[in-house]
Amino acid sequence: MCSSDLFPGLLYAGNQNAWSWGLSYRGRLPLAANPQGWRYGDLHEFNGWLGYSVISGVTSTVRINGATQGTIRGFDPQIKGYAVPTDPNFYGGKWVEVFGGSSFEGEIIGLKAYSLEIEAGIPIYQNLNGPQIRNNWQAGAAIKYKM
C-alpha cells in the first residue's frame, strides 16, 4: 500500500421494526507507484445486507459482497521468475460472495457491554485474472466490547 492511495467509501443503512438493511461501497485507488516502482490496481467493493431481529438482542443477517480488483501496474525488478505470483497480470479479478451470520447482544446473558458476531460465506462467482487460487469458503467471529 502506498501512502498516496485514496480510500473512498459510502454507506447507507436503515431499520424498521425488526428489519435492518444497508448498502456500502469502499475503494482503494492508488494515485502513485510505491518506492519499488509498482502499484496495485483499483479496488471497488460493494456490500448489501438484510437483517432480522429474531428476538431482542439476536439478529440474523444475509450479506452479498462483490468486488473488482485491477491487475498490478508496473514492475518490481526484484520479483521475477516463472512462478504465477511473479506476473503482475495474474492479480485481481472479479468475485461475488454470499454470507450468513448472526449477532448476539450481551445483555441477553447479563453482559450488556459485550456482543458476539459470527458470519460464514461462500463464493458464488469468481473470474480471476490468470491462474490464481480461488476462494473456497470463509468464516469469522468477533467479540466486541462497548465502552
Side-chain angles (χ1 to χ4, degrees):
M1 199 170 345
C2 187
S3 61
S4 62
D5 290 355
L6 180 64
F7 295 94
L10 188 63
L11 170 71
Y12 166 78
N15 68 304
Q16 184 173 17
N17 300 323
W19 292 95
S20 57
W21 58 86
L23 297 169
S24 70
Y25 163 79
R26 76 177 181 115
R28 183 185 67 214
L29 309 171
L31 302 176
N34 64 18
Q36 292 76 31
W38 59 272
R39 61 182 167 173
Y40 287 107
D42 294 349
L43 169 69
H44 302 281
E45 182 180 45
F46 301 90
N47 281 284
W49 64 91
L50 181 64
Y52 182 76
S53 292
V54 181
I55 60 173
S56 180
V58 178
T59 302
S60 292
T61 60
V62 63
R63 177 172 67 95
I64 296 177
N65 167 268
T68 65
Q69 171 72 64
T71 60
I72 292 174
R73 293 174 276 181
F75 175 74
D76 184 340
Q78 294 190 2
I79 301 175
K80 56 187 169 189
Y82 296 106
V84 170
T86 63
D87 188 332
N89 295 310
F90 296 160
Y91 180 81
K94 299 173 185 165
W95 56 90
V96 177
E97 300 165 312
V98 64
F99 293 86
S102 292
S103 65
F104 306 90
E105 296 298 323
E107 63 192 36
I108 62 177
I109 58 169
L111 299 171
K112 190 173 183 177
Y114 290 90
S115 65
L116 170 67
E117 298 175 0
I118 57 173
E119 185 179 58
I122 60 170
I124 56 175
Y125 172 78
Q126 294 182 76
N127 183 2
L128 305 176
N129 298 331
Q132 296 180 44
I133 297 174
R134 294 181 170 278
N135 285 339
N136 190 356
W137 64 274
Q138 57 186 305
I143 296 174
K144 295 184 177 181
Y145 176 75
K146 302 172 199 165
M147 296 177 103

